[in-house]
Amino acid sequence: AIDSVPLKSTFDVKTFPVQNGKTNTLAELADKWEHGFTFAPIRESQVSRAMTRRYFKDLDTYAESDIVIVGAGSCGLSTAYMLGKSRPDLKIAIIEASVSPGGGAWLGGQLFSAMVMRKPAEAFLTDLGVPFEDEGDFVVVKHAALFTSTLLSKVLSFPNIKLFNATAVEDLITRPTANGGVRIAGVVTNWTLVTMHHDDQSCMDPNTINAPLVISTTGHDGPFGAFSVKRLVSMQQIEKLGGMRGLDMNTAEDAIVKGTREVVPGLIVGGMELSEVDGANRMGPTFGAMALSGVKAAEEALKVFEE
Ligand code: AHZ
């Protein structure tokens, strides 16, 4: 039956027989090499349904989220980690434009593997369980990818967090407030490949996620970066951007962590996106401010939910 190709689509996954509900151990596999190895049978539609059914359920579940985090770089992922740990009751959607989450945190700087964090950001590494070498005023993780992959694996393990990657935020949902301003009330999303081709493809309208709180961590200005704060200017909610300044590690990291806040009602901004609002310096290849801006963004978010 598994090989049959029905002329009409009569195949129903619910009636497809479960061949073998047993799971294997690696020790049992060794035995199978000796006695004829085959994978369990599958029909292609089962693979398709296993993926699409879950994705559409997630789209349904997270259409009303408690928090949307825009951008899964080092700051966005640190924010998600803190929120996932402390509030398993909140539904948190992460929207990441790239196929691969992690932003600029897969290398420490240029092509170099090691990631530097100035103290006291080592507290975040200790909590996460990422080992480091102590160099006095700063610590070094042997590979930035160890930090990012550990953080990502913890974030993805939280049952109340869903990462929608290859998906871009193209706009913010707004609601009028009593004083004539606006409150951010969610995000407008599209498949990133569509977002990148609005100019040369016919219109494909976007999708939406409602949420009382959006945390934007889309990085400094670039093809995708600083998305939400640039939109705040064009919707006249902030007059103009300060613009990221030149590199100064000492001032930059303090400014980003201290400045992480609710910039307009319903929108917290963290990480390097904030440098564009406040006219803060960049810090280059030191990542402590990204982790601690994430910790601060999560604390600011929890204040909103405790109000
Ligand atoms: O793909 C982007 C990246 O993964 C994603 N992103 C941007 N715009 C988006 C949009 N919708 C969805 N409209 C979007 N996703 O946001 C992520 C930003 O990650 P990042 O690593 O660029 O930012 P960060 O603030 O988390 O970390 C900055 C790291 C830097 S930059 C820097 C310097 O230039 O001096 N120094 C440090 C430590």
Side-chain angles (χ1 to χ4, degrees), residues 112-125:
F112 309 121
S113 315
M115 175 184 259
V116 173
M117 285 206 189
R118 291 161 63 204
K119 290 184 177 178
E122 83 287 5
F124 187 77
L125 297 174

Side-chain angles (χ1 to χ4, degrees), residues 69-85 92-96 100-106 124 128 144-145 147-158 161-165 215-218 270-271 290-295 297-298:
I69 298 175
V70 189
S74 46
C75 181
L77 289 173
S78 301
T79 310
Y81 170 70
M82 296 304 292
L83 288 170
K85 253 184 11 149
I92 302 166
I94 308 176
I95 312 296
E96 169 50 53
S100 51
W106 291 106
F124 187 77
L128 201 58
F147 168 76
T148 300
S149 60
T150 307
L151 183 55
L152 194 54
S153 77
K154 300 239 164 148
V155 165
L156 292 176
S157 306
F158 290 120
I161 296 185
K162 168 69 187 179
L163 168 69
F164 294 95
N165 44 339
I215 304 177
S216 193
T217 60
T218 66
M290 297 304 112
L292 296 192
S293 174
V295 173

